[in-house]
Amino acid sequence: MITLQNFTLPEPGICTEHDLYYRASGPVGYSQNRGEIRLGRGGRLTLDTYFNLLNIGKWHAQCALDGLWAEIAGSGLVEIRILQAFPARSWEILYCEVATLDPATPHRADLSHYAASAPVQGLIYIEITALGDDGATITGGRFATAAQPADWPDLAVSITTFRREDQVRDTVARLNGFLATFEHGDRVRVQVVDNGDSADIPETDRVRVIANPNYGGAGGFARGLLEAERAGCSHCLFMDDDAAFHMENIARTYVFLALAKDPKTAVAGAMINNTHKWAMWENGAVFDGLCRPLHGGTDLRDRAAVFAMENESAQTPPPTFYGGWWFFAFAIEKVRHHPFPFFVRGDDISFSLMNDFDICTLNGVVSFQDDFTEKESAQTLYLDLRNHLIHHLVSDKLSRPALGTARIALRFIMRSLLRFHYEAAAAQLLSWQDVMQGPQFFDDNIDMAERRAAIKTMMRTEVWKDVQDLDLTERRRKTLKPRDKLHRLGVWTLNGHLVPFSARRWDRIVLGIGERGIVFPAFGAARITYLNTARDKGYTVAQSKREFFSICWQMSQTLWRFLRQHDELKAAYRDGYDGRTSRAYWEKALLEQPPSPQPRNHQEKNCA
């Protein structure tokens, strides 16, 4: 038999939120050193959690299974119950038995009759209750099937890195250790595409390091795909250099792809941010005018919330569903479009939308990363708006009239203006104007060096400073109003920009990082200090009518030009898209010239 998924337990350095892995009732304890769970008499272990339930609806629909078994490893007298939780009807107990666990031989339960209930859907999980006076110990377990794929995938794990030396070395070391014991490890290779030429990772039989020009994440992942093709791999997994994850991610994804009925099947990893490791940030996303993360904020400690998320994610996804490149695995033969040269931001969206993948998420396949809100800057906002506009110009699924596409840019810029982020708004206006130069602009600026330098010179106020250098005194009067009144006040007055003397009379407030990307908390204020998660750095922005109306005037002129040029611009991007997402384009850009030396600018760490 082959393993579909193993039991996963809390792991220091990754996640130690126990309720994401198991639930305990009665005398139950977890040994972190030994990686085992001890149950006293009457203690109950329930594995109905995000990391350890089996979404049989997904596995049965997407994969060619031959029966299903559960195995539990440990010792002691126990009752084992295995339940199938259906989304809209009574649950079934698939297995219930009293057994004495033997450390030498895992206890095996045949669950193959799960398929008798049509349609096959729902979630399978295990409950273990200790019955003996000496209690019981659970050391591991798995779900398995007797199916054997005709061909096992040859998988390239491709990591793009830029000046995150410590993080990528740690990830590669963990991958090396895992693949040495993984039963399919001889079919998995690791590629580190080093855009900064600084990783200094020793090569092994499993690990190859590739020096690459710094053309951002798009160039790094394009190089990874080229190298995976040249090495004869059947599948590729794109992965960020700063993502922390359980190695079980690789195991589940590999077997899911191996057993997939349709070669178009791709696996998109979810993301949890490191600020709150119990909350889902994104379990796949939909793109239509905006990036809309799915199931964001789901409390993964709440069984009902997890079950609802998993049952919903087993349904047919929306047509503009996409997966982020912090963890995205796919069959190379199904790639019709290589990445577009966005540098970073949006390349994963276009890769999902423009290739005919059938994208799935799997519970427990998730990366833990720093909060995206904290990474926001004028440069990231510049890059975000560029890709939003181009996707709507290129994709039939996203096609809009000229004004409908322009509204995307207007919404982005106004969101910054209403929060007094005038420097970010100026960068976004520049982004819109750069898109209007046509697709040749991306060839001429494939390394983004000139634009990064230009945006950097624009930044004077919206840069992080030590908190002791900031004035944190507050004056709250208008910002204490009820939400509905404050919302009307903010909208009608454009957050005070239309009100005389508001810059002096309105409030002075301090906001946390979680409120930085939201317009509403800024309403009623004339000066805002934003603090990072650690609250040791921040910056202050203040209302300026001069800046506001200057940018609005430039924005109106840009809008007029865009409306006139829209049809011509749309045709140019559609004509140029195929060529810029071809294998030949990236071979010429990356393989026909030696990597150029990269400037040692450690402030560009988010540009990989």
Side-chain angles (χ1 to χ4, degrees), residues 206-219:
R206 290 191 180 91
V207 177
R208 183 182 172 211
V209 180
I210 303 157
N212 201 50
N214 185 22
Y215 296 162

Side-chain angles (χ1 to χ4, degrees), residues 161-211:
T161 187
F162 182 82
R163 305 283 163 74
R164 289 193 178 103
E165 295 87 353
D166 293 341
Q167 295 99 318
V168 74
R169 287 174 197 149
D170 180 64
T171 297
V172 170
R174 294 181 66 241
L175 281 167
N176 250 329
F178 165 72
L179 294 176
T181 59
F182 181 43
E183 58 185 322
H184 310 293
D186 59 339
R187 289 186 171 271
V188 181
R189 52 179 282 147
V190 178
Q191 302 175 167
V192 179
V193 180
D194 188 0
N195 282 358
D197 195 21
S198 62
D200 193 24
I201 296 171
E203 293 196 349
T204 68
D205 292 341
R206 290 191 180 91
V207 177
R208 183 182 172 211
V209 180
I210 303 157

Side-chain angles (χ1 to χ4, degrees), residues 63 153 155 235-236 252-260 265-267 329-331:
C63 296
L155 175 67
H235 290 72
C236 190
R252 293 185 189 184
T253 299
Y254 183 85
V255 174
F256 194 84
L257 293 174
L259 297 178
T265 298
V267 175
F330 56 92

Side-chain angles (χ1 to χ4, degrees), residues 56-243:
I56 193 60
K58 290 182 184 178
W59 282 92
H60 182 88
Q62 299 289 336
C63 296
L65 303 182
D66 182 5
L68 178 68
W69 286 263
E71 290 185 347
I72 298 100
S75 60
L77 181 65
V78 298
E79 181 198 64
I80 299 171
R81 289 189 186 186
I82 305 178
L83 297 89
Q84 185 171 2
F86 294 96
R89 62 185 178 89
S90 297
W91 299 359
E92 295 286 341
I93 298 177
L94 295 177
Y95 184 88
C96 186
E97 191 59 74
V98 174
T100 300
L101 298 179
D102 181 352
T105 307
H107 179 84
R108 179 176 294 176
D110 189 349
L111 310 177
S112 300
H113 54 291
Y114 79 88
S117 299
V120 174
Q121 55 184 179
L123 315 168
I124 293 176
Y125 69 90
I126 299 171
E127 282 186 354
I128 304 169
T129 304
L131 302 179
D133 291 338
D134 294 332
T137 300
I138 306 302
T139 58
R142 66 171 181 161
F143 289 102
T145 185
Q148 293 290 330
D151 294 300
W152 287 101
D154 290 305
L155 175 67
V157 178
S158 192
I159 303 171
T160 296
T161 187
F162 182 82
R163 305 283 163 74
R164 289 193 178 103
E165 295 87 353
D166 293 341
Q167 295 99 318
V168 74
R169 287 174 197 149
D170 180 64
T171 297
V172 170
R174 294 181 66 241
L175 281 167
N176 250 329
F178 165 72
L179 294 176
T181 59
F182 181 43
E183 58 185 322
H184 310 293
D186 59 339
R187 289 186 171 271
V188 181
R189 52 179 282 147
V190 178
Q191 302 175 167
V192 179
V193 180
D194 188 0
N195 282 358
D197 195 21
S198 62
D200 193 24
I201 296 171
E203 293 196 349
T204 68
D205 292 341
R206 290 191 180 91
V207 177
R208 183 182 172 211
V209 180
I210 303 157
N212 201 50
N214 185 22
Y215 296 162
F221 287 117
R223 181 64 180 272
L225 179 55
L226 289 176
E227 297 295 341
E229 287 182 285
R230 296 169 80 192
C233 294
S234 62
H235 290 72
C236 190
L237 166 59
F238 288 163
M239 186 184 299
D240 274 352
D241 57 356
D242 62 342

